[in-house]
Amino acid sequence: MSENIIYGIMSAMPEEIDGVISLIHNPQHKSIAGRTYTSGTINHKNVVVVFSRWGKVAAASTTTTLIDYFKVDKIVFTGIAGAIHDDLNVGDIVVADSCVFHDLDIRPLNERFVVPIINKKFFELNVSESWYLKLVNTFHANNINQIIDENWITVFNLRTVQVVRRSIATGDQFVNSEKMKDDLRINLPVVACVEMEGAAVAQICFEYNIPCSIVRTISDSANNTAAMDFMPFAKYVASSYSVAIVTALLSD
Ligand code: ADE
């Protein structure tokens, strides 16, 4: 029997979500505003899975449709991110305990990074302990070869994946220089990695009072090789990561 809860599951790139879509039983497709929403069940749990497209506007609009039209109860966003600190390596996983917009700046009208009216800099996210532990177990060195092909484990050096609970920064920018990273490290020192959708999803979920989880896998170091590094990661392993992350979430 299926649970009544509906999970909205989204990613910004087809490479990140196609594997999850292929897990869906009895898939039903619905097109809205250029997105294809696929409903069905995974492990007897109701899901609606969608490729949101890149950036804050695309993510916010997709999140709103998941909540308003599909009536989802929880949202999970999985995808890739650039590391801001040297203690994170390609393949490590960051489960957001908060999200912030790094490109939001309406000074002198308000403090940098603070969302007007809501008056929030960080959207705090609750990370379920049991799900976190499932992720740690799934990506443990003893288990990683069950989810990632041995060849890609070697190519991307994925033997010792860390799963951490840290802050994630979002902006409509691909971060690819030490200068941009320095600005983030100085002004948002708690931020572990950078991407282009998480805080937008978190803001909409905050406004609708819906729980959400943002889970990011490090694909690059947000430096001058980031553009070259992130594509092969997205192409060859991001999908397997998303499948493993969603499977851990929806396991009993
Ligand atoms: N997603 C993956 N890598 C990224 C980067 N360096 N900047 C922004 N978003 C990303």
Side-chain angles (χ1 to χ4, degrees), residues 98-100 113 120-124 167-168 187-188 190-191:
S98 68
C99 286
V100 55
F113 311 121
K120 267 185 163 306
K121 186 176 200 174
F122 289 96
F123 291 92
E124 291 85 14
S167 187
I168 292 180
N187 294 298
L188 291 168
V190 297
V191 161

Side-chain angles (χ1 to χ4, degrees), residues 125-153:
L125 302 175
N126 193 14
V127 182
S128 132
E129 187 67 16
S130 69
W131 187 37
Y132 171 74
L133 292 175
K134 278 186 204 165
L135 284 180
V136 170
N137 185 47
T138 302
F139 288 90
H140 188 274
N142 296 342
N143 301 331
I144 186 95
N145 60 358
Q146 290 168 32
I147 52 175
I148 312 283
D149 187 273
E150 198 61 45
N151 173 46
W152 299 123
I153 295 179

Side-chain angles (χ1 to χ4, degrees), residues 160-252:
T160 49
V161 168
Q162 307 177 74
V163 185
V164 299
R165 287 174 274 201
R166 307 260 291 269
S167 187
I168 292 180
T170 301
D172 280 324
Q173 255 178 348
F174 187 75
V175 176
N176 63 349
S177 74
E178 288 302 327
K179 189 170 176 295
M180 291 160 97
K181 285 169 72 172
D182 278 346
D183 181 63
L184 286 164
R185 284 189 289 236
I186 292 165
N187 294 298
L188 291 168
V190 297
V191 161
C193 64
V194 66
E195 40 81 303
M196 298 176 61
E197 296 83 19
V201 176
Q203 177 176 343
I204 300 291
C205 288
F206 172 80
E207 289 175 334
Y208 277 90
N209 197 20
I210 295 259
C212 87
S213 302
I214 312 291
V215 188
R216 291 288 185 172
T217 307
I218 301 300
S219 57
D220 60 87
S221 295
N223 55 13
N224 59 357
T225 62
M228 274 182 308
D229 299 337
F230 102 107
M231 260 309 168
F233 191 88
K235 191 165 171 197
Y236 300 115
V237 279
S239 178
S240 310
Y241 263 76
S242 294
V243 165
I245 288 164
V246 169
T247 305
L249 170 68
L250 299 178
S251 68
D252 295 315

Side-chain angles (χ1 to χ4, degrees), residues 4-163:
N4 283 332
I5 286 180
I6 307 175
Y7 293 85
I9 300 172
M10 52 195 289
S11 293
M13 294 166 69
E15 292 87 342
E16 295 163 334
I17 205 73
D18 284 352
V20 176
I21 292 175
S22 67
L23 298 176
I24 300 177
H25 291 272
N26 300 323
Q28 311 280 322
H29 306 287
K30 169 92 189 156
S31 247
I32 300 176
R35 320 283 194 274
T36 302
Y37 295 80
T38 308
S39 312
T41 60
I42 300 177
N43 192 25
H44 306 290
K45 312 268 185 354
N46 298 311
V47 296
V48 183
V49 183
V50 59
F51 149 48
S52 67
R53 307 180 179 185
W54 293 26
K56 297 185 299 183
V57 173
S61 130
T62 308
T63 306
T64 306
T65 303
L66 280 172
I67 297 171
D68 262 349
Y69 186 89
F70 291 97
K71 309 290 179 208
V72 302
D73 300 286
K74 290 184 176 183
I75 291 198
V76 179
F77 193 106
T78 77
I80 55 181
I84 294 303
H85 294 285
D86 295 342
D87 62 339
L88 286 176
N89 303 308
V90 167
D92 287 347
I93 296 174
V94 181
V95 185
D97 58 13
S98 68
C99 286
V100 55
F101 292 108
H102 70 78
D103 60 351
L104 175 56
D105 189 353
I106 59 162
R107 288 174 295 172
L109 303 178
N110 212 341
E111 191 193 332
R112 192 174 173 194
F113 311 121
V114 172
V115 179
I117 302 182
I118 301 175
N119 259 331
K120 267 185 163 306
K121 186 176 200 174
F122 289 96
F123 291 92
E124 291 85 14
L125 302 175
N126 193 14
V127 182
S128 132
E129 187 67 16
S130 69
W131 187 37
Y132 171 74
L133 292 175
K134 278 186 204 165
L135 284 180
V136 170
N137 185 47
T138 302
F139 288 90
H140 188 274
N142 296 342
N143 301 331
I144 186 95
N145 60 358
Q146 290 168 32
I147 52 175
I148 312 283
D149 187 273
E150 198 61 45
N151 173 46
W152 299 123
I153 295 179
T154 307
V155 169
F156 293 104
N157 196 12
L158 305 175
R159 301 236 172 252
T160 49
V161 168
Q162 307 177 74
V163 185

